[in-house]
Amino acid sequence: MTGIAGVGAYVPRLYLPAEAYREAWGKGGAAGVEQVAVADADEDTLTMGTEAGRRALAAATVDADAVSHLAFATTTPPTDEEEAVVRLASLLGVPANATMRQYGGGTRAGAVALASALDTEGPTLVVVSDNPSGAPESDEAAGAGAGAAALVLTDDGPLAVESVGEYGEPSPGTRFRRHGSTETESIGITQYERDAYTSTVGGAVDALDADVSDVDAAALTAPDGKLPYRAARAVGVSTATIAAGTVVSQTGDTGAAGPFLGLASALDDGAASVLLVGYGGGAGATALSLTAAGDVPVDAVFDGDVELSYAEALRRRGTITGEEPEGGGAYVSVPTWAQTIPQRHRLVAGRCRSCGALSFPPEGACFECGSLDGYDDTPLPGTGTVEAATVIGQGGAPPEFVEQQQRSGSFPVAVVALDGPEGDESVSIPAQVAHTPAETPDIGDRVEAVPRRIYEQEGVVRYGFKVVPTEARR
């Protein structure tokens, strides 16, 4: 039977205390939420999903190039229409001929993706990532968080999905996003929304062919810190059981990723049986009963470590920014950028076929011997040493990076000697340093490559790698 062999989770390091929202708006905010995770200016659901996916693969000791099926679930993809799952596959190193599926349309998308992946053959990776938002004064904005989780399924994975149950009954207006909008809304009729949530979640659990009354944890979609607990009676579990699978108080509403972050947290705490329920406004729910036959490896980070003020959070989210300058910058056409995707996404260097020297990027004549015989693909491990560093101060960024600087402030850049695969060679490249607060690394500091948004041009987001100090890597 297919089972989950490894779990990864990633929550951004930036966070906004709930008290900061209350001070700004003079009202309570999201019930039961103490703080919300805030994605940095160069993070989105693809970069967070890549972080979680890499962690899950490492936990399961499965190589990305062995994955035969990739599922990506989100309600907040970088663009409304585009095969984001294909870019995710490239960032992770999943083969181009793997089966790829993308799920969305509601916050139960992750549960649907997992249920659909149970019959796939070969190693399967399910990535669920979300970054909801709302109108600044709304309860949805007060509770909006960010995060991603990923699961690796194999033939001998220790965490089995014993049963799947589904239920849907029209409850319009409970959670929705209008066409062309980035803001999640609801009609704000509290009892109506509670009833829709509890009856739909309870209906999906009733449809399970399993007794969940004694599970160790229940991980439910959590728009706030109280609604999951109101479903305890309908689900047939205690509030303590729901608490064991709920992280919304520390992350905020992470949409489709919420129950999967709760699952990762519960497993990390030693839970052997978990009820997972994905709920989507409208309303539908998918429930899965999971039981472990052994230890389930988890590689996860849940807690932020950089506190933001309310104004800083608005900047990072892009709610308040200045005008971008017209023209200028280092224009790189999309076709030209696409030619270097293996280098930008996966640090694929080249080894000279004549002398064996390492080159990054692998193009033109070999700098060592001058040969034009070409290069063999040689992936780098993604670690390196700082050779030089500086900070691009306010107003000093090239035009394509102005939006990032407006949102996150000055940013460090470094020349990094990336380690070669054999450990006794390196190649030097320039890279931005993705670390908040912005601190210039010292020469000799060790760094690691992380996936990030580089900039957006012609409406197309360019993804690549930045580096983060190893000592600051979570």
Side-chain angles (χ1 to χ4, degrees), residues 17 25 116 223 239 264 348 401:
W25 289 100
S116 300
T239 55
V348 178
F401 297 108

Side-chain angles (χ1 to χ4, degrees), residues 7 152 161 240 254 283 380 433:
V7 179
V152 175
V161 177
T254 53
L380 303 179
V433 181

Side-chain angles (χ1 to χ4, degrees), residues 315 391-397 402 404-411:
R315 281 182 56 204
V391 170
I392 305 299
Q394 288 287 5
V402 166
Q404 173 190 325
Q405 192 173 81
Q406 289 176 342
R407 291 171 62 178
S408 61
S410 302
F411 56 87

Side-chain angles (χ1 to χ4, degrees), residues 147-205:
L151 313 175
V152 175
L153 283 69
T154 63
D155 290 340
D156 56 355
L159 183 63
V161 177
E162 303 287 356
S163 179
V164 178
E166 297 194 289
Y167 185 86
E169 186 172 353
S171 298
T174 48
R175 182 186 179 111
F176 63 94
R177 195 171 72 240
R178 303 185 198 201
H179 180 68
S181 173
T182 61
E183 297 175 350
T184 296
E185 302 177 59
S186 70
I187 58 174
I189 303 176
T190 304
Q191 192 58 51
Y192 170 70
E193 293 171 358
R194 290 175 183 169
D195 291 345
Y197 181 90
T198 56
S199 64
T200 306
V201 168
V205 174

Side-chain angles (χ1 to χ4, degrees), residues 220-232:
L220 280 58
T221 300
D224 59 37
K226 287 190 175 180
L227 198 55
Y229 296 95
R230 296 184 182 277

Side-chain angles (χ1 to χ4, degrees), residues 19 55 62 100 139 168 172 199 214 237 266 278 357 382 403 446:
E19 182 60 31
R55 289 174 180 271
V62 171
M100 302 178 196
D139 289 344
S199 64
D214 60 351
V237 299
E403 181 186 2
R446 295 289 290 170

Side-chain angles (χ1 to χ4, degrees), residues 338-356:
Q339 291 175 359
T340 59
I341 280 177
Q343 287 71 50
R344 298 181 187 276
H345 287 187
R346 302 183 300 281
L347 293 176
V348 178
R351 191 172 295 284
C352 177
R353 291 173 182 151
S354 294
C355 72

